[in-house]
Amino acid sequence: MTQAELREAFANRFGGQPTIFSIAPGRVNLIGEHTDYNDGFVFPAAIDRCIHVAARMVEGPSQVTSAQIGDGSPFDARAINPGEVGGWAAYPAGMAWVLREESGKPMPNIEAYVSSNLPMGSGVSSSAAMELVFGVLWNHLESLGYDNKKLAILGQKCENLFVGVNCGIMDQMASAMGEEGSAMFLDTRSLEIAYAQVPQDLLIVLCDTKKPRALTDSAYNERRSQCEEAARILGVKALRDATVDQLESKRTEMPDVVYRRARHVVTEDQRSQAFRVALQNSDYDQIGELMRASHESLRDDYEVSCRELDLMAEAAWQAPGCVGARMTGAGFGGACVALVRKEKFAEFEAYVTKTYRETSGIEGALLATRPVDGARIWTE
Ligand code: GLA
């Protein structure tokens, strides 16, 4: 939606004009999966699929409407607490709560019209984008002066304590700290970022399996506790601090499933660091091998892939122009990410769409994306 269209949709819904606009992108992760809650490394990029908001302050209560999902439950932004609002309004309400907790100031009530072109259920972090788009809005309205890194941390707190999903920091950092043309190598312990330009001749392609993510929360939490158990047995603060040798030396002291989970995380951290070097050197063979190894490790050791993700990745690996491909995000459905030579994109798209349709019986969707800047007040 353009800003003019959003303004009109706001006027149709609420009457009158919005006074402020904000925007927050979704993300894809190139490599470094299920490492962020182990203090490890991730390599996401904010993508040109975003959530937009038009808003104005009102006496109250707050009313949020989404072009895609409809009206959210009304809430009092000044006094909201966890457990008081469900559905998608939990994201804006949760941000009002977390910002009040942090600043000691109640957030003003708003009317807000939300529009998104981020595919939902595809694992591109529409929830983090929703947190950030409201985070920057209230930050601006109340002149709180928080920077985007701080808003990302608060977004994660909102998701953990208000929405009730125990995620790591990757998605919020990607949506908040994205940079045009670049992916970000993020150390999730120090929150230090090194931006890395995506080579001009490559496209980041989202290969959506159209299999909605299922059972993610319980399986995600189970993986988290298995990682904590491994760290305990290894005597390290987090799996980020463990080496493959250490892990091998304690192999017999841990259940096999815990060993395999830890092996994924420890080797994935190595792959992310190697990927960073390979990208700097435009070593496309190495990039391809690392992405494939990441997918296989997520499939076999971490067990968060599914048939559709495997079929999509396999189709991409064989396709013309493919540099590398793997599942991206939490898993159990959603999308694969592929790095594809720009001039071969049409051939890649035709091959993958056809092959995936034939092997899975599902019509997938391919989307070429571009890295963009992170969440901000939208001045047009
Ligand atoms: C989800 C979580 C992230 C991260 C990924 C897996 O997207 O929100 O914090 O753990 O899964 O890499």
Side-chain angles (χ1 to χ4, degrees), residues 82-339:
E84 291 174 357
V85 61
W88 76 269
Y91 295 95
M95 285 312 288
W97 168 74
V98 80
L99 287 164
R100 186 185 81 225
E101 286 277 297
E102 186 67 21
S103 67
K105 292 187 190 173
M107 294 303 113
N109 277 304
I110 54 173
E111 285 170 342
Y113 193 89
V114 181
S115 179
S116 166
N117 61 8
L118 259 182
M120 279 195 313
S122 306
V124 283
S125 296
S126 49
S127 43
M130 193 67 97
E131 286 146 11
L132 267 300
V133 83
F134 281 97
V136 295
L137 194 82
W138 267 305
N139 186 43
H140 188 84
L141 288 174
E142 267 305 295
S143 307
L144 297 175
Y146 295 144
D147 62 17
N148 272 22
K149 199 178 261 190
K150 176 84 177 179
L151 292 175
I153 296 166
L154 295 175
Q156 185 200 17
K157 190 169 167 196
C158 161
E159 181 122 4
N160 293 165
L161 303 179
F162 198 100
V163 179
V165 175
N166 206 11
C167 65
I169 191 69
M170 169 170 72
D171 304 346
Q172 288 78 10
M173 281 294 283
S175 181
M177 303 297 291
E179 196 177 273
E180 176 93 34
S182 294
M184 54 170 101
F185 181 76
L186 169 69
D187 178 336
T188 64
R189 174 172 277 168
S190 66
L191 295 190
E192 221 169 278
I193 295 173
Y195 291 98
Q197 277 214 333
V198 176
Q200 294 287 330
D201 58 338
L202 295 189
L203 282 174
I204 300 177
V205 180
L206 194 71
C207 308
D208 192 341
T209 63
K210 292 288 172 184
K211 163 102 188 328
R213 292 191 295 130
L215 287 175
T216 324
D217 282 4
S218 54
Y220 189 88
N221 290 337
E222 186 188 59
R223 300 296 181 287
R224 282 191 78 138
S225 17
Q226 288 163 336
C227 289
E228 282 157 21
E229 188 181 340
R232 232 180 357 258
I233 296 170
L234 291 168
V236 291
K237 180 159 176 264
L239 284 179
R240 145 52 173 291
D241 304 306
T243 62
V244 173
D245 286 349
Q246 258 173 313
L247 183 61
E248 291 305 324
S249 71
K250 298 270 184 176
R251 181 171 186 164
T252 52
E253 290 172 40
M254 55 180 87
D256 185 59
V257 65
V258 171
Y259 163 77
R260 287 187 296 111
R261 302 300 188 243
R263 184 166 64 181
H264 165 72
V265 174
V266 174
T267 58
E268 185 77 352
D269 270 341
Q270 290 179 337
R271 282 186 289 271
S272 304
Q273 296 179 85
F275 184 97
R276 182 184 180 190
V277 177
L279 196 65
Q280 266 160 7
N281 298 336
S282 297
D283 184 345
Y284 292 176
D285 289 344
Q286 175 76 348
I287 287 175
E289 276 171 33
L290 291 166
M291 289 178 86
R292 189 185 181 121
S294 168
H295 185 90
E296 289 170 349
S297 174
L298 288 157
R299 182 190 65 197
D300 302 334
D301 275 352
Y302 220 63
E303 296 178 283
V304 291
S305 189
C306 63
R307 181 171 169 271
E308 291 79 4
L309 283 168
D310 291 343
L311 292 173
M312 185 63 92
E314 284 157 23
W317 291 336
Q318 294 154 13
C322 181
V323 168
R326 51 179 287 278
M327 57 156 278
T328 187
F332 303 104
C336 289
V337 60
L339 288 172

Side-chain angles (χ1 to χ4, degrees), residues 27 29 32-37 125 167-171 220 329-330:
R27 66 99 187 90
N29 187 23
E33 216 65 79
H34 288 279
T35 49
D36 63 349
Y37 48 85
S125 296
C167 65
I169 191 69
M170 169 170 72
D171 304 346
Y220 189 88

